[in-house]
Amino acid sequence: MIIFVTVLATIFIAEMGDKTQLLLVAMAGKYKISHILTGTWLATAVLNLLAVGVGAALGSYLDMRLIKLAAAFAFFGFAYSTIRGDEGEEEEKEVKHRFGPVVGIFLSFFIGELGDKTQLSAITLAAAYTDQSFSNACYVFMGCTLGLILADFIGLIVGVFLKSKMPAGILNKLSFAIFAFFGAASLREALGLIFGDGSRQSMALWVIGTAAFVAVCGLAVYRRGRIRHRKSNPDKG
């Protein structure tokens, strides 16, 4: 039980203020609570199974450059879908995904947390406490899972509160800003791992990639404005 409490407290503190907790604030403005809980809890269970079971072994095979790139594209994709769907007649609809909202939330949360400090903490705790004991491994898994869920639940509550108190348009813009920020941050980390942190190549490609994303979002906003204008002025075409 001491192991369980120690692991729970460590993971809870590590997750507070982390990007996945802030992502849940953003998700609360675009998705149903049931979909968010299902997607994030499934991702949490899988992540901690990896961390406690084979996480340490996988760490030597996973290419963090690819993981960070995948995270960047995932976050940029969420940001783009948020800004594109920010229309008055769609304020109460959640963002649609080709494979369903639960899968989209699962993938975003899973990729965002994979290799993050919280999962690395879980791997370290597993290595320290398991000692080839199945019961200790179970305690570590339960502590990691519950600690992560409790911390992220706070982010979800904040998101739901903001959704009830703020106009949907403002919350959508906040969601876009959060997703875009972490997309840009993940892209910079990935390029830093590939070309060297602070190198000219990584900085140049980061600026180009971020500018391209901003341009695509700007085009989406422009097209949305044109559509709104046509709907409000049908006689003018």
Side-chain angles (χ1 to χ4, degrees), residues 160-179:
V160 171
F161 175 79
L162 292 176
K163 183 178 180 180
S164 64
K165 299 297 182 180
M166 297 173 62
I170 296 178
L171 185 55
N172 284 347
K173 291 178 176 60
L174 175 62
S175 299
F176 168 80
I178 292 174
F179 287 131

Side-chain angles (χ1 to χ4, degrees), residues 25-65:
V25 175
M27 288 180 181
K30 302 301 296 182
Y31 301 96
K32 294 179 180 178
I33 301 301
S34 59
H35 290 163
I36 297 174
L37 293 176
T38 302
T40 56
W41 289 0
L42 283 174
T44 298
V46 173
L47 284 164
N48 287 318
L49 280 173
L50 288 174
V52 175
V54 294
L58 285 175
S60 61
Y61 295 101
L62 290 175
D63 192 333
M64 291 304 299
R65 296 172 296 181

Side-chain angles (χ1 to χ4, degrees), residues 21 24-25 28 33 36-37 151-161:
Q21 188 184 44
L24 284 175
V25 175
I33 301 301
I36 297 174
L37 293 176
D152 291 332
F153 192 67
I154 293 175
L156 184 58
I157 291 175
V158 172
V160 171
F161 175 79

Side-chain angles (χ1 to χ4, degrees), residues 5-219:
V5 174
T6 301
V7 172
L8 188 155
T10 302
I11 296 299
F12 179 82
I13 294 172
E15 183 67 7
M16 292 300 292
D18 196 46
K19 64 174 178 292
T20 44
Q21 188 184 44
L22 297 178
L23 287 174
L24 284 175
V25 175
M27 288 180 181
K30 302 301 296 182
Y31 301 96
K32 294 179 180 178
I33 301 301
S34 59
H35 290 163
I36 297 174
L37 293 176
T38 302
T40 56
W41 289 0
L42 283 174
T44 298
V46 173
L47 284 164
N48 287 318
L49 280 173
L50 288 174
V52 175
V54 294
L58 285 175
S60 61
Y61 295 101
L62 290 175
D63 192 333
M64 291 304 299
R65 296 172 296 181
L66 296 179
I67 293 174
K68 293 297 183 182
L69 279 176
F73 285 122
F75 294 147
F76 279 151
F78 269 80
Y80 177 75
S81 63
T82 299
I83 201 69
R84 187 183 61 179
D86 182 13
E87 298 186 33
E89 62 271 23
E90 296 181 351
E91 285 176 355
E92 298 302 322
K93 297 180 181 179
E94 65 177 7
V95 176
K96 303 298 181 182
H97 287 273
R98 181 178 300 178
F99 302 107
V102 173
V103 176
I105 293 168
F106 172 88
L107 291 175
S108 178
F109 191 88
F110 182 87
I111 294 174
E113 194 67 38
L114 191 63
D116 196 21
K117 69 176 187 294
T118 309
Q119 199 197 28
L120 294 177
S121 298
I123 293 174
T124 302
L125 290 167
Y129 289 119
T130 51
D131 295 327
Q132 298 180 348
S133 169
F134 179 75
S135 60
N136 285 355
C138 290
Y139 283 132
V140 173
F141 171 76
M142 290 187 294
C144 289
T145 302
L146 185 57
L148 197 61
I149 287 175
L150 289 175
D152 291 332
F153 192 67
I154 293 175
L156 184 58
I157 291 175
V158 172
V160 171
F161 175 79
L162 292 176
K163 183 178 180 180
S164 64
K165 299 297 182 180
M166 297 173 62
I170 296 178
L171 185 55
N172 284 347
K173 291 178 176 60
L174 175 62
S175 299
F176 168 80
I178 292 174
F179 287 131
F181 173 80
F182 287 120
S186 297
L187 180 61
R188 183 168 183 176
E189 290 178 4
L191 294 173
L193 290 172
I194 295 172
F195 297 102
D197 192 24
S199 67
R200 292 183 178 179
Q201 295 95 324
S202 65
M203 291 302 296
L205 288 174
W206 178 72
V207 171
I208 293 173
T210 304
F213 168 73
V214 172
V216 170
C217 291
L219 180 60

